[in-house]
Amino acid sequence: MTNKTRLTFLGTGTSQGVPMIGCCCEVCSSVDPRDKRLRASVFVEHEGLKILVDAGPDFRQQMLREGISHVDAILLTHNHKDHTGGLDDIRAFNYLEKRATDIYCEKYVEDSLRMEYSYAFAENKYPGAPEWRVHMIDENPFEINGVKIIPIRGRHYKLPVLGFRFGNIAYCTDMNHIPEEEFEKLKGLEHFVINCVRRGHHISHFALEGALKVAEKVGARHTWLTHLSHQLPRHVDLTEELPEGVLPAYDGLVIKA
């Protein structure tokens, strides 16, 4: 059976990335490339589509590192800057392809973009401003060019956010709660990606213990932890302590289903 879905981790770090500016801890000082984490984002190739999930401040670097020269659509999980701060650099795709880039997001996310990137929505645009075509989505399944995508509703403290399922791979970041009814959408997965910021408790993210409980409930064959901070152990040490079937993701990792 051929793989229909391929997901590349563009970034697996928190909002400040790893290493964090000014920090000399063991993780931030690690020479292991798997401990060098850009802001969280993934590139998904699914049934002929090339989809970017989130475009944070490291967007340009991530595109160049992975040699990505085209995206069919950008899906935004929510409106925080570490997930939208690179959207101005879409101008490169606009210039090369002579078309606007399709962005799929919730209404409150578009409202935020209209404030932060007012020049991109201006009636009389500055020449060279990014060109976006925004599509409204919510937790209901939608299609891009006939390809079905299933959003997963979650909460990021009190903020509603979306994860996404592409075939047998699901990606959920920046959550600390998934409503019970959403778990139906996560059945039968080959790969499940979930955020895990540190141990103990975090007000707006799953911490390690909570992420493992969700992973056990989902029951995917493979679970990958992302949005990792320097408060967790180095990649090599964290790998050794995780249960079977659960591993920390790292920048550049590719998974297939």
Side-chain angles (χ1 to χ4, degrees):
M1 181 177 177
T2 58
N3 294 313
K4 290 187 176 181
T5 308
R6 184 178 191 267
L7 182 150
T8 302
F9 288 92
L10 302 176
T12 56
T14 55
S15 59
Q16 298 189 76
V18 181
M20 189 178 79
I21 294 173
C23 184
C24 299
C25 74
E26 182 180 50
V27 176
C28 288
S29 302
S30 171
V31 297
D32 187 339
R34 295 171 297 183
D35 290 320
K36 310 298 183 185
R37 303 183 181 279
L38 300 178
R39 267 62 74 92
S41 175
V42 293
F43 180 64
V44 181
E45 296 163 273
H46 178 57
E47 296 188 8
L49 289 181
K50 295 186 176 183
I51 299 170
L52 180 70
V53 181
D54 291 335
D58 303 314
F59 169 77
R60 177 180 177 275
Q61 182 180 353
Q62 291 163 339
M63 296 298 99
L64 293 173
R65 186 193 71 204
E66 299 300 329
I68 297 170
S69 58
H70 169 75
V71 295
D72 291 298
I74 298 175
L75 312 185
L76 298 178
T77 59
H78 62 300
N79 65 335
H80 286 170
K81 204 71 169 181
D82 55 319
H83 296 261
T84 64
L87 286 173
D88 181 80
D89 283 320
I90 287 175
R91 290 180 295 130
F93 291 138
N94 299 152
Y95 174 78
L96 292 170
E97 300 182 355
K98 310 302 180 190
R99 69 176 184 90
T101 299
D102 291 291
I103 295 178
Y104 292 77
C105 64
E106 297 195 76
K107 180 62 168 63
Y108 83 88
V109 178
E110 183 193 18
D111 292 343
S112 180
L113 295 181
R114 285 182 176 276
M115 288 190 293
E116 295 184 39
Y117 295 98
S118 58
Y119 59 94
F121 294 91
E123 185 174 344
N124 298 307
K125 283 188 180 182
Y126 182 84
E131 295 283 347
W132 306 335
R133 187 164 45 242
V134 182
H135 307 262
M136 292 298 103
I137 58 172
D138 53 24
E139 64 271 19
N140 294 300
F142 63 97
E143 292 186 356
I144 300 177
N145 297 342
V147 177
K148 183 179 180 180
I149 296 170
I150 302 174
I152 313 299
R153 170 63 73 205
R155 290 281 171 179
H156 185 36
Y157 186 43
K158 296 181 180 180
L159 184 72
V161 298
L162 293 175
F164 299 98
R165 178 170 181 163
F166 310 91
N168 288 323
I169 299 179
Y171 177 76
C172 294
T173 188
D174 287 54
M175 296 181 181
N176 69 324
H177 175 71
I178 300 175
E180 189 64 33
E181 60 271 18
E182 294 297 286
F183 281 92
E184 186 68 26
K185 300 176 182 177
L186 297 170
K187 288 184 175 179
L189 289 173
E190 179 76 14
H191 297 281
F192 177 52
V193 184
I194 185 171
N195 65 292
C196 174
V197 71
R198 67 185 187 199
R199 302 187 197 275
H201 172 74
H202 192 279
I203 193 171
S204 60
H205 290 272
F206 285 117
L208 181 57
E209 296 79 1
L212 292 179
K213 286 182 180 178
V214 172
E216 183 177 9
K217 185 171 182 176
V218 170
R221 288 189 62 184
H222 306 280
T223 294
W224 303 93
L225 306 181
T226 193
H227 211 288
L228 304 163
S229 81
H230 68 155
Q231 294 177 317
L232 286 165
R234 296 176 305 167
H235 181 277
V236 65
D237 299 320
L238 182 57
T239 296
E240 290 182 358
E241 72 175 68
L242 291 173
E244 184 177 358
V246 181
L247 287 171
Y250 55 88
D251 292 20
L253 172 68
V254 175
I255 56 177
K256 302 176 183 180

